[in-house]
Structure formats: C-alpha cells, structure tokens
Amino acid sequence: MAQEVLDVLVVGSGPGGGIAAYSLCQQGLKVGLIEAGKRLVPGRDYNGHGSPHKDWEKRLAAGFKTPVSKVTDYQEKDHFTGVGDNPRHGMLKALGGRSLCWAGHTLRFGPGDFAQWPIAYDEVAPYYARAERLMGVSGFRDGLWNLPDGEFLPGVPLRCSEKMLGKGAAKLRGKHREAAFVSIRKAIPTKSGAVPRATCHFCGHCMAGCEVDSKYTSANTPIPMALRTGRLSLFLQSTVTRIVMAKDGHRVQGVEIVKADGGREELRCRALVLACSTVETARLLLTQNLANSSGQIGRNLTSHFGLTVVGLFPQVRGRDASNDDGWDYYHSLLTGLYWKDKSKKFEGTYQVQCGAGVHPKKLAIKWAPGFGESLKAQLKDWNVTHAGMNMQGMLLISKNKYVDLDPVKKDGHGVPLPRIHLHYDDSDIAMANDVIETCEETIRLGGGTVHSSPGKATRENLVIDSNHWVGTARMGTDKRTSVVDTECRSHDIPNLFLGDASVFPAYPEKNPTLTNIALSWRMAEKLAARARRGEL
Amino acid sequence: MLDRRDFIALSALFAAPAYAARALTETEFAAAEEFVELILPGSKAARVMRYIDLGLAYGVGGDVASWQRGLAAWSNQKVPMEQLAANELKPSTELERFFGLAKRAAIEAYALSEEGQKEWLGYRGGVHLESFPGCTEEHG
Ligand SMILES: Cc1cc2nc3c(=O)[nH]c(=O)nc-3n(C[C@H](O)[C@H](O)[C@H](O)COP(=O)(O)OP(=O)(O)OC[C@H]3O[C@@H](n4cnc5c(N)ncnc54)[C@H](O)[C@@H]3O)c2cc1C
Ligand code: SF4
C-alpha cells in the first residue's frame, strides 16, 4: 500500500508547533504532529500543588524519584555542549514542550521593537489578539506605547513590597527617566468561563507545572482543538533525526523518525514545519546543512540575561504574610527603560521582573548572620519585607554568540549535539551595570534599602536565560543574509517553514512566547493559503 | 469520654514513628540534632535532621563525609556558637565550615517542615483561593 502523504508535518509540539498544528487543521489540512516526548498528565505525572510540606514529604518518601512533583524534573540533561560564559539550554521533551513549565508571562512586542523587523507591529497585532483570546491572558491595561495592551481578563494585584518598588519607579520618572512599573500579564485565566480551562486558584506553582491545567499550555488548548477537527495525527515519542529531501534536492519529501522502540520510519508530507525550538531547529538543519545558502543558520543567536538585586522595605513589616503564593513569584515588571532615550553606554534595553513574598519551598532569602532565635527572627523579617528584582536584558547579537554542532558528542540516535557559544560583549556588561544602578536606585526611592546586589557586573556573575534563546534562522527579505522570508518560509526550500522563535531577526527585552505563537499562527495561515492555491 | 491520659496515649499511637538514620550513624544523628537545634531552635521538634539525613542518603543534600568530619570536630572542640557565628563569613577551621554547612541545610529543611512553615513563617498558603488579594494595606 502506498504510504499516506500528509499535507503538513509539524515537528515539535511546544507553543510554536502546537498553534501551527491547530491552525493548519482548522483550515482543512491533514497534519501530522511529531513529538519526541510523551504525554504528561497533570496531577498524575506532576503534582506540585498543595502544602509545600506534604509535597516535600512525598518527594522524600519516593527517594526523589517517582512520583515526581515538578514538571521540571523531566527536563533534559547532557543534551548540548556549552562554550564560553556558562551557556545553558532548557529542553522538556513532552507533548506541549516547555509550555508545561513556563511561567506564562505574556507580553506583546511593541511597534518600537518591530522597527528592526521586516514586518511591522500592525501585521502581527491581529495574531496577538487572537492568541490572547485563545490563551486566556490576564492583565491590566497600562497604556504603554511599546508594551501594547491586549485582550485581557482581570489582572492580579501586587504584593506589598512590589508596590513599594512601584513607588520607587514613579520617583524615577520624576527624575526624568523613562520608566513604568506594571503588573505582569499571564496566560492564566482569572475569570471563570472565559476559556475552557479551570480558573487559577493562586497556589503559586506555575513553573512546577499547573496540576489543574489552568495555565495555557499547547497540550491543553491548541492540540486538543486540533485533534477535535479529526485531521490531526499525533506521533508521540517519535524523534525526527533527518529531513528527507526529494530526489531533485530542492523540496522536502518527509522526515525520518526514530520511535520509542528504536524502530525507524519515514513519514511523507507536502510541507514541513520545524518547531523544535530555537536551538534544536538550528541543530536539525545544520546536521544536513539544509536551507543554509546564507550561512546564517545558528548565527544571530540571542537570549535574555540577568542578575538579581534584592531590596528590603521595613515599611511593610507586620503585614499579613500568611499567603503570598499568588501566581508564582513574579507579579510585576519594571519596564519602559531606554525605549526612546537610548543609552550611550550600551545597545538595547532591559526589563526587570519583580517579585516578593514568603514562599517556604523557595525562600528568597536563605541566610542571615548568627544563630538562635535572633537568626530565625531576622530571616523571617527579611523574607516578609523583601522584593526581588531580576534583570531580563537584551543580549547583544554578535559574532560571539552562535550555535554549531559538537564535532564529537552525539545523542542516542547518532545526531551531533548542539554546541552553544556564549561570550558576553562589553555592551552586555555595561547594560548589566546600568541595571544594578537602576534597581538599587528604585529600591532606595521606594523607601527601602538594598539587601543584596552584585555591585558590579562581570562575565562570571551574569546568568543567561536558558529558556529564551531566539534567532538562529532569522527572517529577512534578502536571502543572502537571512534564512526565512517574512512568511517564515525558507528562502532555499519552498516547502519548508519554521514555526518557532528561531526566526526572530531582533529581540527586545520582552518574553518570547506570545510572539512565537502569533508568528507561528500567521505562518500557518500563509502556508494554508498556499495549499489552497495549489502551491504545495 | 476520653480523659487527658487516654488522649496522650492515643496521640502517642498516632505520633510520627521514630526515625532510623540512613546516611549518618545513630550517634552522629543525635549529635547533629543537638548542633542544629543550637543554630535554629525548634529544629528538633520539626524533625529537621530527618529531612537532612534523608537528603544525604539520596545524594541530594551535600555529602555525608563533610557532615561526619564536622560532627567529629564538634564533639572534640565544643566551641561556643558565638565564636562560630563570628567567623561564618570567613570560616577557616573544619568546625567553622561545618557551622555554615549545617546552617544552610537546616534553614532549608526547617522552612519545608510543618512546624517551620506554620509556626516560624506563619504560612497558611497552598490552598485554593477564588482571587488573590495582593497587598491590601497602605504603607508609607
Ligand atoms: C521554567 C520556564 C519558565 C518560562 N517562562 C516563560 C514566560 O513566562 N514567558 C515566556 O514567554 N516564555 C517562558 N518560557 C520559555 C518558553 O517556554 C519557550 O519560549 C517556549 O516553550 C518555546 O516554544 P517552542 O515551541 O519553540 O519550543 P519548546 O517548548 O521547547 O518545544 C519544542 C518541542 O519540540 C520537541 N522536539 C525537539 N526536537 C525534536 C525532534 N528532533 N523530533 C521530535 N520532537 C522534537 C521537544 O521535545 C519539545 O516538546 C519559560 C520556560 C521555562 C522552562
Ligand atoms: S497559580 Fe494558577 S496557573 Fe499557576 S499553578 Fe496555581 S492554579 Fe495553576
């Protein structure tokens, strides 16, 4: 029997691949979604909710093995090589990818951010709106030009020390600094009936995995919707190891997968969407040097990077600290910095994610001097009154940051591991020093004192965000300098499309996933339109 | 009706079973309990050493040898806590280093214990809320 040729194969079921599969199915195409991991069931395979104490007892009883209590326990290890300033790379192989453990921060990029893209904000805005409705995004309307408001469910208020930071930020503005202090926006419904998922119950475990599936994941929203169309075939525990090209060498014919039992199979398609995540998509293409006439695959790699400054606000001493769980640690954002008045010392800008509160599972402050009752009192007081400020800076795109293949190390299927090169540039260090000054000033202006601060940024004390990598296959209009066109279609291979953040040609300070979803949705619509025109 | 003595007898029946140390020896465990109680009063009642010992046994909470060396130094020297604390930022002896190690482990474990959460931190979270109130107080 001749093998079925599916209209589209999508590789990777994270936020990028999940939305692409849904949109393509909804438009009448027959789609195969290939995912290396298995389906994890909230509440059965991860169960971080409930009392931190009972949860800890469960982990102890199980010898820190199964039943696991955090979805992050499933993250991959030894799956890449790092060169330079301690690069890290997060990967969760499961239906839904890292959307299972993301915090859900959902921010639109603004018109200023798209100035460096070959498409404008207005082109993406309708997809942002659709994505927000589907995802159930909660937040407040802040009226900021470069952090546009979306279609929000009711926002979640700040904790006391965060409000003090807000006062500090207002005074920064009084000193003619561009700055705004806003509540974070999350893909978590705060109002029942708005989306067909449970309403958040504010237990604060979002990144350990939402046991009640309130937080948006691609496993709980677009993939079930795609399955309901009857046009989606799921290939779980199936790893794509090779892209199979047609005999003419110009078009994709399918992919080779390795299944859980080790068996290899070839799946056929009219078009292929890669959404394996920024690093893995580049890796797959580099192993065969496909779609790379520009030589740009793996280049233009960027992420966010940061450090942490902690302040204490004695004014809030004595507040009710009995339940600070909220919707995880970060409830607020210091933003708006250098959007218009560019820094002379560094390129780009940063935002600062701010959090507060007493969380027994992850005490923010774990040390105070001394011993005895005074130590206990001091530690409690510091945790109750603290606010943490975590920098999320734009990492300068430069020749010092890229992905290539490890010449020696391979995975279990014989595919070379990706190798991530990260060497901070002077501009990065200068930005981090500016963050330290700004955070310390915000704390003081808010009436607090600086509890801990790196004081000075160095290549050693900066921390890369292992989950925010973008840009290894950038979008552009010139095929000599970019990998995909403005529809996320390969310049070289007309039936190859990219559905993840590898296509970002520039990266602002904002979290990537909403834009990843919006772009992938847009790509899928353009792809389906081509299919309807018989161009596949 | 249960009288007070019946109640105590019944409570003992349902009390947590005695813990048999897995990573440390029984003697080391008892000495560690005493040491940690001096650092963080209430640790013994909160069974902090049980958490630490289990962690050590599963290889997630540091190495057993450092605990054993530290405990041996403590049983030989019995230096006042004030002196250990005074040097904690620049520890130079085995015992001073152990003070830091035991303190870090104890704080982490105490925060996760039922007593630590409720009585020390006053934590009443981990429950289902209809909405999150945020900060409802005005501060200067
Ligand atoms: C703890 C944490 C918190 C985060 N918080 C936020 C946040 O608040 N806001 C935000 O915007 N972002 C956040 N992120 C980042 C966000 O999760 C990622 O941006 C997003 O998941 C990327 O989507 P993706 O589809 O490109 O990749 P992934 O989610 O990584 O999905 C890729 C999928 O492809 C599969 N795959 C890869 N290679 C193959 C192959 N060869 N064959 C078959 N399958 C393959 C993988 O198994 C995986 O399931 C967070 C991430 C983490 C881990
Ligand atoms: S805070 Fe809300 S979204 Fe986060 S894990 Fe708890 S219920 Fe889920």
Side-chain angles (χ1 to χ4, degrees):
Chain A
M1 201 176 79
Q3 195 193 6
E4 184 186 12
V5 179
L6 287 163
D7 292 321
V8 188
L9 283 172
V10 179
V11 189
S13 67
I19 204 75
Y22 161 61
S23 171
L24 292 164
C25 288
Q26 197 199 24
Q27 293 172 86
L29 299 183
K30 288 192 106 182
V31 178
L33 178 60
I34 309 171
E35 169 52 53
K38 59 181 179 182
R39 187 194 295 272
L40 296 177
V41 179
R44 185 194 73 190
D45 296 316
Y46 52 91
N47 45 24
H49 286 207
S51 139
H53 160 67
K54 288 193 184 123
D55 177 53
W56 185 241
E57 286 288 354
K58 264 192 276 174
R59 282 168 84 75
L60 282 175
F64 293 91
K65 293 196 179 79
T66 53
V68 293
S69 58
K70 294 193 285 189
V71 76
T72 36
D73 291 346
Y74 294 95
Q75 279 184 316
E76 292 295 297
K77 296 187 184 76
D78 304 324
H79 58 292
F80 76 103
T81 320
V83 179
D85 298 327
N86 197 17
R88 302 176 309 145
H89 161 39
M91 190 174 179
L92 176 64
K93 285 188 186 168
L95 188 70
R98 282 172 292 159
S99 67
L100 301 188
C101 57
W102 77 316
H105 298 184
T106 300
L107 307 180
R108 292 186 180 200
F109 294 0
D113 303 325
F114 280 98
Q116 295 175 60
W117 287 48
I119 50 176
Y121 172 76
D122 290 346
E123 177 70 31
V124 186
Y127 295 93
Y128 276 147
R130 264 197 246 170
E132 284 157 350
R133 281 194 295 273
L134 182 87
M135 297 164 82
V137 178
S138 304
F140 294 102
R141 298 181 71 78
D142 300 305
L144 300 173
W145 75 275
N146 205 29
L147 181 61
D149 293 327
E151 310 219 349
F152 296 147
L153 302 172
V156 174
L158 305 185
R159 303 184 187 102
C160 294
S161 303
E162 290 172 288
K163 277 172 90 175
M164 304 314 291
L165 285 179
K167 291 188 179 182
K171 289 188 184 158
L172 263 190
R173 270 199 309 280
K175 294 175 87 183
H176 306 294
R177 283 282 305 270
E178 243 188 316
F181 196 82
V182 298
S183 288
I184 199 73
R185 303 157 179 187
K186 288 205 181 210
I188 294 174
T190 51
K191 192 174 145 193
S192 74
V195 289
R197 303 197 307 272
T199 310
C200 176
H201 60 241
F202 304 103
C203 66
H205 295 303
C206 312
M207 284 187 280
C210 181
E211 187 183 75
V212 295
D213 239 355
S214 174
K215 178 183 73 171
Y216 173 88
T217 73
S218 60
N220 69 20
T221 303
I223 294 171
M225 288 165 82
L227 284 167
R228 283 199 289 275
T229 65
R231 288 187 280 273
L232 181 71
S233 309
L234 261 184
F235 299 88
L236 292 179
Q237 294 182 277
S238 302
T239 303
V240 171
T241 49
R242 195 166 61 88
I243 295 167
V244 181
M245 297 299 288
K247 285 214 176 68
D248 65 7
H250 297 307
R251 297 181 70 83
V252 173
Q253 172 180 296
V255 295
E256 178 191 77
I257 57 169
V258 179
K259 294 184 287 186
D261 62 7
R264 287 183 192 252
E265 191 183 321
E266 189 180 318
L267 302 177
R268 296 244 172 146
C269 61
R270 292 191 180 83
L272 177 66
V273 174
L274 293 183
C276 306
S277 82
T278 300
V279 173
E280 295 299 316
T281 287
R283 173 199 187 195
L284 204 54
L285 292 171
L286 283 170
T287 51
Q288 293 168 262
N289 201 27
L290 287 177
N292 199 17
S293 64
S294 63
Q296 290 298 313
I297 292 186
R299 305 277 145 182
N300 314 301
L301 174 73
T302 181
S303 181
H304 293 132
F305 70 110
L307 41 78
T308 302
V309 177
V310 177
L312 298 177
F313 293 94
Q315 306 92 310
V316 311
R317 186 169 288 140
R319 71 179 179 85
D320 176 7
S322 59
N323 186 351
D324 291 333
D325 291 347
W327 55 357
D328 228 322
Y329 184 67
Y330 296 116
H331 272 216
S332 51
L333 199 61
L334 174 62
T335 182
L337 302 145
Y338 303 109
W339 280 352
K340 282 197 175 130
D341 305 333
K342 303 288 176 202
S343 166
K344 293 189 178 65
K345 296 191 199 136
F346 56 84
E347 287 185 46
T349 185
Y350 53 85
Q351 64 180 15
V352 183
Q353 302 188 135
C354 304
V358 180
H359 306 272
K361 238 189 217 177
K362 36 192 178 185
L363 276 188
I365 299 175
K366 295 183 178 173
W367 183 87
F371 66 96
E373 291 298 344
S374 64
L375 166 67
K376 280 170 71 176
Q378 184 72 93
L379 269 174
K380 179 174 175 188
D381 182 64
W382 280 354
N383 276 288
V384 168
T385 59
H386 93 282
M389 304 184 79
N390 184 251
M391 165 194 181
Q392 192 167 299
M394 290 164 64
L395 185 70
L396 185 76
I397 296 177
S398 82
K399 61 180 179 2
N400 296 321
K401 295 127 182 169
Y402 60 98
V403 174
D404 64 6
L405 298 176
D406 191 299
V408 181
K409 291 191 187 151
K410 297 191 166 139
D411 67 12
H413 306 305
V415 180
L417 291 188
R419 189 168 60 169
I420 303 175
H421 301 254
L422 168 66
H423 300 274
Y424 290 109
D425 288 282
D426 291 344
S427 170
D428 301 325
I429 306 285
M431 180 191 287
N433 278 317
D434 191 85
V435 174
I436 294 171
E437 273 174 36
T438 304
C439 290
E440 291 187 359
E441 193 180 3
T442 309
I443 291 168
R444 289 197 192 98
L445 290 172
T449 55
V450 176
H451 172 72
S452 64
S453 164
K456 194 172 168 358
T458 64
R459 287 180 167 74
E460 288 71 39
N461 66 16
L462 295 179
V463 180
I464 195 72
D465 192 321
S466 54
N467 291 299
H468 285 196
W469 294 113
V470 306
T472 52
R474 75 171 166 197
M475 174 198 291
T477 49
D478 184 346
K479 63 177 290 189
R480 288 166 306 180
T481 55
S482 59
V483 177
V484 294
D485 65 15
T486 54
E487 297 184 1
C488 301
R489 182 167 79 131
S490 159
H491 288 302
D492 298 346
I493 303 174
N495 64 343
L496 173 66
F497 298 78
L498 302 189
D500 56 34
S502 61
V503 301
F504 288 15
Y507 198 19
E509 73 283 13
K510 290 141 193 140
N511 308 52
T513 307
L514 176 66
T515 302
N516 177 355
I517 290 173
L519 277 188
S520 184
W521 202 332
R522 179 174 169 275
M523 175 277 299
E525 285 202 348
K526 309 266 182 201
L527 193 167
R530 281 177 190 280
R532 283 194 293 276
R533 295 196 300 267
E535 289 174 18
L536 291 185
Chain B
M1 272 281 276
L2 289 180
D3 70 11
R4 198 171 156 273
R5 246 176 321 156
D6 293 334
F7 182 75
I8 292 170
L10 267 178
S11 307
L13 262 183
F14 291 108
Y19 173 72
R22 298 199 196 167
L24 301 173
T25 65
E26 287 300 329
T27 320
E28 286 165 347
F29 186 87
E33 266 199 324
E34 189 192 315
F35 188 67
V36 162
E37 178 72 15
L38 290 174
I39 298 177
L40 216 52
S43 296
K44 196 166 182 180
R47 310 211 305 157
V48 159
M49 266 319 294
R50 172 178 156 272
Y51 286 103
I52 295 175
D53 181 72
L54 274 171
L56 290 172
Y58 295 130
V60 294
D63 72 309
V64 183
S66 306
W67 277 81
Q68 287 172 328
R69 278 199 311 275
L71 287 166
W74 168 244
S75 71
N76 290 335
Q77 294 167 42
K78 297 277 181 206
V79 176
M81 280 287 150
E82 287 77 8
Q83 191 180 321
L84 295 178
N87 296 333
E88 67 179 316
L89 289 179
K90 282 195 180 143
S92 59
T93 66
E94 185 72 51
L95 189 51
E96 284 170 0
R97 278 190 293 277
F98 179 56
F99 176 80
L101 173 79
K103 180 171 163 178
R104 275 193 305 279
I107 290 169
E108 189 111 19
Y110 192 47
L112 283 168
S113 72
E114 195 163 12
E115 290 79 355
Q117 268 167 44
K118 289 196 178 145
E119 280 150 38
W120 174 41
L121 298 174
Y123 177 71
R124 299 283 181 278
V127 291
H128 290 217
L129 296 182
E130 289 276 310
S131 63
F132 183 72
C135 185
T136 51
E137 304 147 32
E138 265 312 309
H139 301 282

